[in-house]
């Protein structure tokens, strides 16, 4: 649930805004002073601030500027004067939106929702989700380096994991044992390609229901292996 701070010294307006936002499911706190509002905005875990311009204690210009120094939550500035809104825009204080009083409470709710949605998208874009390959009951989490079969985690050694992930990333492609050995063991030598066979066997024991009829890693006789998608 999103939490909203209203900084507004006209009690009737603050109450109206609070009522409408609460009816829309938001948690709302109000304060009538600019300086108190700034403290609240900085220490509280608010998702958005509705900020009046003319306030006792500290004006909305200063409050907005100082919130911006520390937080990137959306700030909607409101003022009774159209001229003030133009001034705020000109100052580039970093407010996300401006509304001239009087405005309808439903207009405020709509803008609050739009800004929260936009902000959540921005924040969401910053956190990279795990790189996951999912095929039937098999789930390979490349970021966490974990493998699950039907939701149950299986323990993989580093090379087993690398080999499975490589094959799953390149499905429907036949790789020879030599190619897999070079790729996973990172050695340009002829090496012991039997290692690949051993690892494939171990992987199958962990992910296949029936190792004699593998549904994921197919053996292409005389050539190598292919991951079935
Ligand atoms: Ca005011």
């Amino acid at each position: 649930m999103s939490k909203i701070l209203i900084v507004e010294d006209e009690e009737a307006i603050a109450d109206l805004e609070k009522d409408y936002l609460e009816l829309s499911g938001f948690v709302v706190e109000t304060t009538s002073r600019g300086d108190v509002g700034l403290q609240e905005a900085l220490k509280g875990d608010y998702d958005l601030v509705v900020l009046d311009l003319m306030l006792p204690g500290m004006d909305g210009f200063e409050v907005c500027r100082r919130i911006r120094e520390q937080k990137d939550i959306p700030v909607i500035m409101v003022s009774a004067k159209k001229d003030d809104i133009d001034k705020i825009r000109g100052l580039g204080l970093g407010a996300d939106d401006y509304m001239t009083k009087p405005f309808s409470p439903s207009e405020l709710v709509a803008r609050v929702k739009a800004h929260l949605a936009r902000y959540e998208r921005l924040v969401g874009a910053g956190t990279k989700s795990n790189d996951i390959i999912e095929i039937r009951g098999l789930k390979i989490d490349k970021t966490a380096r974990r493998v699950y079969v039907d939701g149950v985690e299986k323990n993989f050694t580093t090379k087993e994991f690398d080999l499975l992930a490589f094959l799953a990333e390149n499905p429907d492609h036949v790789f020879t044992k030599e190619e897999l050995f070079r790729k996973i063991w990172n050695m340009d030598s002829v090496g012991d390609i039997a290692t690949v066979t051993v690892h494939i066997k171990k992987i199958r024991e962990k992910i296949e229901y029936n190792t004699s009829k593998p549904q994921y890693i197919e053996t292409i006789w005389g050539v190598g292996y292919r991951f079935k998608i």
Side-chain angles (χ1 to χ4, degrees), residues 6-11 13 31-35 50-64 76-85 87-88 91 93 99 101:
I6 296 171
V7 191
E8 170 64 69
D9 60 330
E10 284 172 72
E11 205 179 322
I13 293 177
T31 177
S32 60
R33 291 182 57 92
D35 47 357
V50 178
L51 179 63
D52 184 29
L53 186 59
M54 298 311 291
L55 292 161
M58 183 186 288
D59 68 29
F61 294 116
E62 187 65 10
V63 176
C64 183
I76 298 177
M77 292 201 75
V78 298
S79 172
K81 291 187 212 144
K82 175 76 175 65
D83 291 354
D84 287 339
I85 299 292
K87 191 175 163 196
I88 303 167
L91 286 172
L93 296 166
M99 297 180 79
K101 287 192 246 185

Side-chain angles (χ1 to χ4, degrees), residues 185-198:
W185 279 262
N186 225 357
M187 281 174 260
D188 249 347
S189 67
V190 275
D192 188 3
I193 59 165
T195 308
V196 177
T197 316
V198 172

Side-chain angles (χ1 to χ4, degrees), residues 84-109:
D84 287 339
I85 299 292
D86 294 338
K87 191 175 163 196
I88 303 167
R89 285 183 198 275
L91 286 172
L93 296 166
D96 297 86
D97 206 350
Y98 316 89
M99 297 180 79
T100 311
K101 287 192 246 185
F103 47 80
S104 75
S106 50
E107 171 70 13
L108 175 68
V109 170

Side-chain angles (χ1 to χ4, degrees), residues 8-64:
E8 170 64 69
D9 60 330
E10 284 172 72
E11 205 179 322
I13 293 177
D15 287 349
L16 188 67
E17 291 175 354
K18 186 175 196 284
D19 286 349
Y20 267 79
L21 289 167
E22 283 179 345
L23 278 171
S24 300
F26 298 109
V27 175
V28 184
E29 296 292 335
T30 61
T31 177
S32 60
R33 291 182 57 92
D35 47 357
V36 178
L38 175 64
Q39 283 172 23
E40 270 294 300
L42 295 183
K43 75 169 168 45
D45 55 344
Y46 294 98
D47 299 292
L48 184 146
V49 181
V50 178
L51 179 63
D52 184 29
L53 186 59
M54 298 311 291
L55 292 161
M58 183 186 288
D59 68 29
F61 294 116
E62 187 65 10
V63 176
C64 183

